[in-house]
Amino acid sequence: MAAVPLGFHRSEAREALRCQEQTWLPSHRPCCPHSRWRRPRPQARPRQQPTWRAEDACDGAKMAAVTMRLPAARAPLDSSALRGGEKHLVAPGDTITTDTGYMRGHGTYVEDDKLIASVAGVVERVNKLVCVRALKARYNGEIGDIVVGRITEVQQKRWKVETNSRLDSVLLLSSINLPGGELRRKSAEDELAMRDYLQEGDLISAEVQSIFSDGAVSLHTRSLKYGKLAQGVLVQVSPSLVKRQKTHFHDLPCGASVILGNNGFIWIYPTPEQKDDDAGGYTANLEPVPLSDREVISRLRNCIMALVTHKIMLFDTSILYCYEASLPHQIKDILKPEVTEEIVLEARQRLLDSEG
Amino acid sequence: MEGGQEGGQEGWMDGRRAGRRAGRMDGRQEGRKAGRKRALRRCGREAAGMASVVLSEAEKLYIVHGVQEDLRVDGRGCEDYRCAEVETDVVSNTSGSARVKLGETDILVGIKAEMGTPKLEKPDEGYLEFFVDCSSNSPELEGRGGEELGTDIANTLYRVFSCENSVDLKSLCINPKEHCWVLYVDVLLLECGGNIFDAISIAVKAALFNTRIPKVRVLEDEEGTKEIELSDDPYDCIRLSVDEVPCIVTLSKIGYRHVVDATLQEEACSLASLLISVTSKGAITSMRKVGKGSLDPESIFEMMETGQRVGKSLHIALQKILDEEENLGTSRPKTEIPS
């Protein structure tokens, strides 16, 4: 008998969305406030006669915030004090070595007895093998990685998951946990009910189980900490910016939690109050997230974008330092170039101080 | 197979045809099922004919609730624009050009002024022609998909500029009924990051501000043939006045409220949007509703008020940056696009 997932019914989410969209019932609709320079809670205001006169619309306090600027080349951060500065960075066409005793690996080619790089990246040498690992590349799966992916297809006994790699990753029906934590063989009814578990567009967190011969990655969610993701914000960055660590699930002290997927998908979500173990990874809270949590999540998202702009490695400490450096500024100002630079410089300084 | 073997001599063709038909139907049904699934997925992604992202239901719910509280995913309020970068005179072999980066959205506009004959119904005016190219954006916008979106945007621009005093077309006339300036406005959608109409209208206004049309003199011979002479001085040109050029403000309805400058994720949550073109004085020149959802007339009034307010600040900010760039003159470090 196929178990129906408890708690997180797709129809509930759709119902909640539909209630928001019923615009033809005026009694359901709160009126939107006019003063914008402060961020007040929406309050009901008496309905005014609509006016089209331009003079009424022009009021200093009510001006919408539109900032425009001339483009300016971003000054590169001073990279001399970086730890690990002994990395050998190359650009396409750079000579790596003129020694002919090396075997050429990925990202290199031989011309005129010289080993030349064909991609922009870091030179890696293992005994006699020299290869160049590209900085901007698709995600290459390795067993044990944590990834955050989006379901693109529902096939016969598996799901296809998009993980920013060359091929869509595969999540087999036999590799998922059933809701409720049941442990049994998946039957034909489970196969027919696959869409009740995971549908196209759903986000999941999973671990890489194995790699197929063509490079496609096979995922599994056989632990209670993996599963379908609920409300939150997804940020897509380059996979090479996510640092490999012992754990990728962080509960930040600022009030939100973050999953740093090795494939570059970062999921920021409000910290759940209680750890529910018997849910099997399928229950989700569909209630509105409180405003304080939202502010933390938006600030974290902007901080991550700021770190990505300046190519700083992403791990829990760097994100936290950047968050603390951004507290004096307003959330939407973090993405302005001058504020970004200031915040990232401060975070970098703190990182260097904590190491050195 | 069985159908082919059944039946007598005279029916073997029908039998075989039936068997073949049965086999083919199954195969075709499978193909059709897969194709329908693919088509459904494509429909789900076609918001306004442009590339949009797929979101899970919980993510959409998060965005909708956030808009209710006036705090969007990137911390903006409902009426805030993303940081925009505007630059003019980027393409050297055009009469005027501009590049606008609004968050992820990147638009390049080039205007070429060429001599042409005026339209029959307006013999003493020049005119504008719009062409929009979306093919450099994503693979699904190459070919036919991009063409549809391109014609949609071009038709919107025609409508926005159909108002009589938006551009002073009489100044584009050289000889009534014979010669006039035609401004070919080419819009290139380099990257679509949500809210392309606003960015395109800002870029068009900036490019029109930057357009320099050479001054011409009409010489008449004894036989009556008219000759047009361009002045030798390359700096001797006429500039267009862009005070009345409207800008488009897109208001997307998400939940109960509407937002300005929606990102791709927010556009995926919004069922209906209103495109309003507003001049710098707050006058609305055209309005268009896009999306498959419906809009309550009261919310349309509210959106129009918001559009006017936001449009005015947009014009003020744009004019300030254009004047600033003009004053910098040649000392500004340019990021020129090679022609």
Side-chain angles (χ1 to χ4, degrees):
Chain A
M1 188 64 135
V4 172
L6 307 157
F8 191 12
H9 246 289
R10 184 146 299 96
S11 50
E12 276 178 19
R14 240 184 271 127
E15 204 43 55
L17 270 175
R18 214 176 298 138
C19 290
Q20 306 284 336
E21 286 156 2
Q22 274 183 356
T23 56
W24 54 274
L25 288 173
S27 51
H28 283 235
R29 210 165 16 101
C31 309
C32 39
H34 260 235
S35 61
R36 248 267 348 116
W37 54 276
R38 231 176 330 134
R39 207 184 302 117
R41 304 265 171 162
Q43 300 154 21
R45 66 168 169 91
R47 177 132 293 279
Q48 294 168 4
Q49 263 312 96
T51 51
W52 277 266
R53 282 176 296 159
E55 305 86 68
D56 291 328
C58 179
D59 192 320
K62 296 180 200 165
M63 294 289 255
V66 185
T67 48
M68 296 206 185
R69 59 185 66 232
L70 291 171
R74 198 178 65 232
L77 290 183
D78 173 35
S79 57
S80 55
L82 265 181
R83 178 187 64 115
E86 62 271 6
K87 265 190 267 198
H88 187 187
L89 294 170
V90 286
D94 282 354
T95 313
I96 302 172
T97 175
T98 45
D99 193 349
T100 51
Y102 288 108
M103 284 199 296
R104 54 184 189 279
H106 287 298
T108 63
Y109 65 98
V110 172
E111 196 179 293
D112 298 334
D113 284 339
K114 285 188 293 186
L115 202 62
I116 302 179
S118 60
V119 290
V122 178
V123 175
E124 285 177 347
R125 197 179 78 91
V126 177
N127 296 337
K128 285 257 176 221
L129 179 69
V130 175
C131 58
V132 182
R133 185 170 53 92
L135 285 174
K136 180 184 166 187
R138 292 238 172 207
Y139 169 62
N140 277 325
E142 283 174 39
I143 298 181
D145 279 356
I146 313 276
V147 293
V148 171
R150 201 183 281 282
I151 309 283
T152 50
E153 277 176 50
V154 181
Q155 292 182 350
Q156 274 200 316
K157 274 206 187 81
R158 57 201 195 162
W159 290 273
K160 286 281 188 172
V161 182
E162 189 227 325
T163 50
N164 194 21
S165 42
R166 286 192 199 93
L167 292 166
D168 274 345
S169 307
V170 168
L171 177 64
L172 297 170
L173 178 60
S174 48
S175 309
I176 62 161
N177 260 352
L178 285 170
E182 283 180 77
L183 291 173
R184 57 175 170 79
R185 259 184 106 100
K186 312 291 190 302
S187 59
E189 287 151 339
D190 287 315
E191 202 179 316
L192 294 171
M194 273 175 78
R195 263 224 168 70
D196 289 335
Y197 304 141
L198 292 171
Q199 229 188 24
E200 285 97 339
D202 282 342
L203 276 173
I204 54 160
S205 66
E207 192 181 324
V208 174
Q209 188 178 42
S210 61
I211 306 182
F212 291 115
S213 49
D214 53 2
V217 149
S218 177
L219 305 171
H220 77 91
T221 57
R222 277 200 165 284
S223 168
L224 290 169
K225 56 181 181 173
Y226 306 127
K228 183 150 64 170
L229 300 172
Q231 293 197 57
V233 174
L234 182 74
V235 184
Q236 295 181 344
V237 308
S238 166
S240 51
L241 286 175
V242 179
K243 191 169 171 173
R244 272 183 201 282
Q245 283 186 293
K246 275 205 201 92
T247 167
H248 288 258
F249 291 78
H250 302 286
D251 280 340
L252 298 175
C254 43
S257 303
V258 79
I259 303 180
L260 296 164
N262 284 95
N263 60 333
F265 284 15
I266 298 176
W267 178 248
I268 314 169
Y269 61 109
T271 314
E273 284 92 39
Q274 76 278 17
K275 299 283 172 189
D276 33 13
D277 310 286
D278 55 348
Y282 285 95
T283 56
N285 200 2
L286 289 180
E287 278 156 31
V289 175
L291 189 64
S292 48
D293 285 347
R294 279 183 190 278
E295 289 184 348
V296 172
I297 292 176
S298 297
R299 197 176 276 279
L300 277 172
R301 184 238 175 227
N302 283 354
C303 288
I304 291 178
M305 297 304 291
L307 289 170
V308 165
T309 324
H310 288 271
K311 303 280 186 282
I312 309 278
M313 289 293 274
L314 293 170
F315 53 105
D316 55 344
T317 322
S318 68
I319 297 176
L320 201 58
Y321 285 165
C322 193
Y323 177 86
E324 285 165 9
S326 76
L327 283 172
H329 304 273
Q330 269 203 324
I331 303 176
K332 56 184 174 173
D333 291 337
I334 298 176
L335 292 175
K336 288 188 187 160
E338 59 270 8
V339 179
T340 306
E341 205 172 312
E342 187 192 318
I343 293 174
V344 168
L345 274 173
E346 197 183 315
R348 224 168 69 112
Q349 196 55 44
R350 273 183 77 179
L351 279 170
L352 289 171
D353 292 340
S354 65
E355 287 157 18
Chain B
M1 229 58 79
E2 294 86 336
Q5 278 165 8
E6 271 173 9
Q9 185 71 15
E10 36 310 335
W12 71 268
M13 268 302 262
D14 308 274
R16 210 182 324 157
R17 231 183 288 133
R20 247 207 310 251
R21 214 185 307 135
R24 214 191 353 209
M25 276 309 249
D26 293 320
R28 217 192 300 159
Q29 254 170 26
E30 283 307 309
R32 239 187 299 164
K33 230 190 290 168
R36 217 180 307 139
K37 239 190 285 175
R38 254 179 282 136
L40 273 174
R41 233 182 301 135
R42 243 204 316 269
C43 281
R45 281 195 284 166
E46 262 174 45
M50 60 186 89
S52 54
V53 293
V54 186
L55 290 181
S56 67
E57 308 266 345
E59 275 177 281
K60 285 189 196 168
L61 202 63
Y62 182 83
I63 292 177
V64 169
H65 285 152
V67 168
Q68 300 292 110
E69 311 241 354
D70 201 21
L71 178 64
R72 289 151 85 176
V73 163
D74 48 9
R76 288 184 286 153
C78 290
E79 294 182 13
D80 290 336
Y81 268 84
R82 288 170 284 185
C83 200
E85 273 182 16
V86 177
E87 200 185 348
T88 60
D89 205 23
V90 283
V91 185
S92 48
N93 60 345
T94 53
S95 313
S97 58
R99 182 168 180 181
V100 168
K101 274 191 240 195
L102 188 66
E104 302 265 306
T105 309
D106 203 346
I107 310 281
L108 179 65
V109 169
I111 298 186
K112 281 194 138 116
E114 287 181 25
M115 211 85 79
T117 31
K119 292 189 175 153
L120 286 172
E121 59 268 14
K122 300 234 169 90
D124 55 349
E125 284 180 0
Y127 53 99
L128 282 91
E129 293 273 358
F130 294 97
F131 295 102
V132 180
D133 180 14
C134 317
S135 52
S136 49
N137 191 22
S138 71
E140 53 191 57
L141 286 187
E142 260 175 326
R144 216 152 37 121
E147 209 179 292
E148 211 177 286
L149 177 61
T151 29
D152 185 41
I153 300 176
N155 288 338
T156 312
L157 286 171
Y158 276 121
R159 199 148 143 198
V160 163
F161 282 85
S162 63
C163 177
E164 274 159 12
N165 7 348
S166 43
V167 176
D168 186 13
L169 297 171
K170 292 213 169 25
S171 63
L172 297 176
C173 177
I174 306 168
N175 270 333
K177 288 193 203 153
E178 286 179 16
H179 299 111
C180 72
W181 284 114
V182 182
L183 295 179
Y184 290 99
V185 182
D186 294 305
V187 178
L188 234 79
L189 189 64
L190 295 174
E191 199 174 333
C192 176
N195 201 23
I196 47 178
F197 285 99
D198 290 29
I200 289 176
S201 66
I202 296 173
V204 168
K205 178 168 179 179
L208 284 170
F209 180 80
N210 179 242
T211 307
R212 282 159 172 78
I213 304 175
K215 283 209 182 117
V216 289
R217 277 186 312 160
V218 184
L219 304 168
E220 200 162 321
D221 280 354
E222 301 88 36
E223 295 110 42
T225 49
K226 293 195 176 126
E227 213 177 82
I228 300 191
E229 192 183 296
L230 276 173
S231 68
D232 292 327
D233 185 6
Y235 293 105
D236 187 20
C237 47
I238 50 173
R239 303 275 301 268
L240 295 169
S241 152
V242 292
D243 293 330
E244 296 287 329
V245 169
C247 268
I248 301 178
V249 176
T250 309
L251 298 135
S252 312
K253 186 147 193 72
I254 299 179
Y256 295 136
R257 300 187 61 165
H258 47 270
V259 298
V260 167
D261 193 17
T263 57
L264 279 176
Q265 285 84 9
E266 288 165 349
E267 280 181 358
C269 302
S270 130
L271 285 184
S273 309
L274 202 63
L275 293 169
I276 300 180
S277 60
V278 190
T279 63
S280 53
K281 298 195 180 60
I284 296 181
T285 61
S286 80
M287 203 160 79
R288 182 184 159 201
K289 179 208 160 282
V290 293
K292 53 188 197 267
S294 59
L295 286 176
D296 189 45
E298 292 208 17
S299 46
I300 294 186
F301 288 154
E302 281 176 15
M303 286 157 109
M304 279 168 68
E305 281 176 43
T306 314
Q308 275 179 307
R309 197 171 50 236
V310 171
K312 286 173 70 121
S313 12
L314 189 65
H315 277 284
I316 292 174
L318 181 61
Q319 197 56 48
K320 197 165 73 116
I321 205 76
L322 289 174
D323 292 333
E324 192 184 310
E325 203 186 10
E326 182 99 5
N327 293 339
L328 279 176
T330 46
S331 59
R332 171 172 69 86
K334 283 197 186 179
T335 53
E336 273 224 16
I337 297 171
S339 46

